[in-house]
Amino acid sequence: MKIATIGTGFIVERFLDAVGQVEGVECYGVYSRTGEKARQLADEFGIGMTFTDMDRMMEDTNYDTVYVASPNSLHYDYVKRALENGKHVICEKPFTSTLRELEELIALSKKRGLFLFEAITTIHLPHFKAIRENLGKIGELKVVQSNYSQYSSRYDKLKAGETPNVFNLEFSGGSLSDINIYNIHFMIGLFGGPEEITYVPNRHANGVDTSGVSVLDYEGFFATCVGSKDTASENFVLLQGDKGYIRVRGAANTIDYIEIHAGDEIETIDLGQNTNNMVAELEAFVKIFETGDGNEALKLLDHSATVMKFLEAARKSAGILYPADEK
């Protein structure tokens, strides 16, 4: 797998670090609208090619996969262009602004015979799989709680009168799509789509959600997902059954290790995951790419589409609308 990246933020640096650790993948080039930023990123990771012209990048035949880490509202356009140019795509979460956009991209990827992946760390982590394997130990599930709260330096800019992309509805920003999405991926990855989902946010004067709580109603239990960019907290997931509970240390996107409390017994599972939580997802994508496992790729797309369906429903339940909703 030979990749060209779009974006120059922290997440791209973390992705490129993962590329350096995974066999069967390399980075061919990086794109930024600013040549200086592209060159700095390329130099840091020993990458030879830089792009400032999107058309030139898309038409280059020396690589096969595009990694998209642009502002959320641009995901759809960039992914569509890449697919139309015969490239496989890895796109950062949230996949798109709306379910309609994602369904169109999935249809296009199938038509062109191309792989399309959502870069969501949670469901690929070894500890996530360990949770699924050990759920039966805590009996009948009753309550699930998750909290991913990370005070954003860009929130200070928002309070100072600026409008960073992540806090701008024009760019499909907000805490739900940026950070709480990891919690929702966790829940739907384990339990599938809920019967109902709602979202209660704290909102800035510009209408964007800076933090909030989403509730997923399942048959026999419910799950709460707290996501906050205007406060900090201990991050955790707690799965409570009638015979015990599982405590996840760390947020839903890292799952540092898990504790299983059943009766008087406490079992700790720490599999020594890579400190870069993007390594596991990239290993999964490379394996699918190398083996041509279309069925596994479609399973991941089905999961992403379910998440997008309920993410959009949660957002709209709070009256939060994006420009993409009107298209």
Side-chain angles (χ1 to χ4, degrees):
M1 181 182 281
K2 189 173 287 189
I3 294 176
T5 64
I6 297 175
T8 55
F10 168 77
I11 195 69
V12 181
E13 295 181 7
R14 195 165 181 81
F15 178 79
L16 290 174
D17 177 76
V19 168
Q21 299 186 57
V22 176
E23 292 185 5
V25 60
E26 63 179 285
C27 185
Y28 167 75
V30 298
Y31 166 85
S32 174
R33 290 174 299 173
T34 306
E36 182 181 357
K37 288 184 178 180
R39 189 70 264 160
Q40 287 176 347
L41 185 64
D43 289 345
E44 181 180 354
F45 289 94
I47 299 164
M49 180 64 70
T50 62
F51 299 97
T52 55
D53 184 303
M54 180 63 67
D55 290 333
R56 179 168 168 257
M57 173 187 169
M58 292 295 180
E59 293 167 0
D60 194 318
T61 59
N62 291 302
Y63 70 97
D64 48 58
T65 304
V66 176
Y67 168 71
V68 177
S70 60
N72 299 343
S73 61
L74 302 178
H75 286 184
Y76 167 77
D77 288 334
Y78 286 154
V79 172
K80 185 176 181 181
R81 289 185 66 176
L83 292 172
E84 289 175 340
N85 280 273
K87 310 295 187 186
H88 306 287
V89 179
I90 301 170
C91 182
E92 268 303 326
K93 58 79 196 167
F95 224 144
T96 51
S97 300
T98 66
L99 177 61
R100 180 197 59 79
E101 288 182 340
L102 179 55
E103 289 175 338
E104 182 180 333
L105 295 177
I106 291 174
L108 180 58
S109 70
K110 290 179 179 179
K111 180 180 179 181
R112 296 297 180 94
L114 296 165
F115 289 125
L116 176 60
F117 303 112
E118 182 179 18
I120 181 71
T121 60
T122 301
I123 62 172
H124 299 285
L125 294 170
H127 287 155
F128 180 81
K129 297 169 185 176
I131 292 168
R132 180 187 288 119
E133 293 167 357
N134 286 278
L135 268 177
K137 295 180 179 179
I138 62 172
E140 185 177 352
L141 205 61
K142 295 295 182 181
V143 178
V144 184
Q145 306 173 61
S146 60
N147 189 326
Y148 186 9
S149 299
Q150 184 172 286
Y151 188 88
S152 172
S153 61
R154 287 169 288 184
Y155 183 61
D156 290 331
K157 294 181 179 180
L158 183 69
K159 291 192 293 183
E162 300 179 36
T163 310
N165 293 343
V166 73
F167 290 118
N168 190 342
L169 293 179
E170 294 295 316
F171 286 95
S172 303
S175 182
L176 177 66
S177 292
D178 186 68
I179 200 166
N180 213 347
I181 186 173
Y182 289 112
N183 294 324
I184 294 174
H185 265 286
F186 182 100
M187 302 304 172
I188 291 177
L190 280 182
F191 311 120
E195 296 180 355
E196 184 181 7
I197 189 170
T198 55
Y199 183 53
V200 181
N202 288 316
R203 300 179 69 169
H204 185 263
N206 70 0
V208 76
D209 56 310
T210 58
S211 58
V213 182
S214 185
V215 179
L216 289 74
D217 187 4
Y218 288 94
E219 184 176 356
F221 72 97
F222 65 90
T224 61
C225 299
V226 175
S228 176
K229 295 182 71 65
D230 56 13
T231 65
S233 173
E234 175 188 356
N235 297 319
F236 65 90
V237 182
L238 198 59
L239 303 104
Q240 300 169 224
D242 59 5
K243 293 183 180 179
Y245 64 94
I246 295 175
R247 184 176 186 86
V248 173
R249 299 291 181 172
N253 69 325
T254 61
I255 314 181
D256 300 335
Y257 64 95
I258 62 178
E259 296 173 350
I260 303 170
H261 297 251
D264 296 328
E265 300 294 323
I266 301 176
E267 178 185 359
T268 299
I269 298 179
D270 186 348
L271 303 175
Q273 289 181 164
N274 196 297
T275 55
N276 184 335
N277 60 342
M278 300 183 80
V279 166
E281 66 177 11
L282 187 56
E283 288 175 336
F285 302 154
V286 170
K287 182 178 180 180
I288 291 171
F289 180 85
E290 290 181 340
T291 60
D293 191 346
N295 289 332
E296 184 62 25
L298 289 176
K299 287 180 184 178
L300 293 177
L301 282 175
D302 286 344
H303 166 77
S304 290
T306 301
V307 169
M308 182 54 63
K309 172 185 175 181
F310 286 101
L311 187 75
E312 183 175 323
R315 176 170 59 80
K316 289 184 175 179
S317 76
I320 300 172
L321 300 177
Y322 295 151
D325 292 313
E326 302 173 4
K327 293 181 181 179

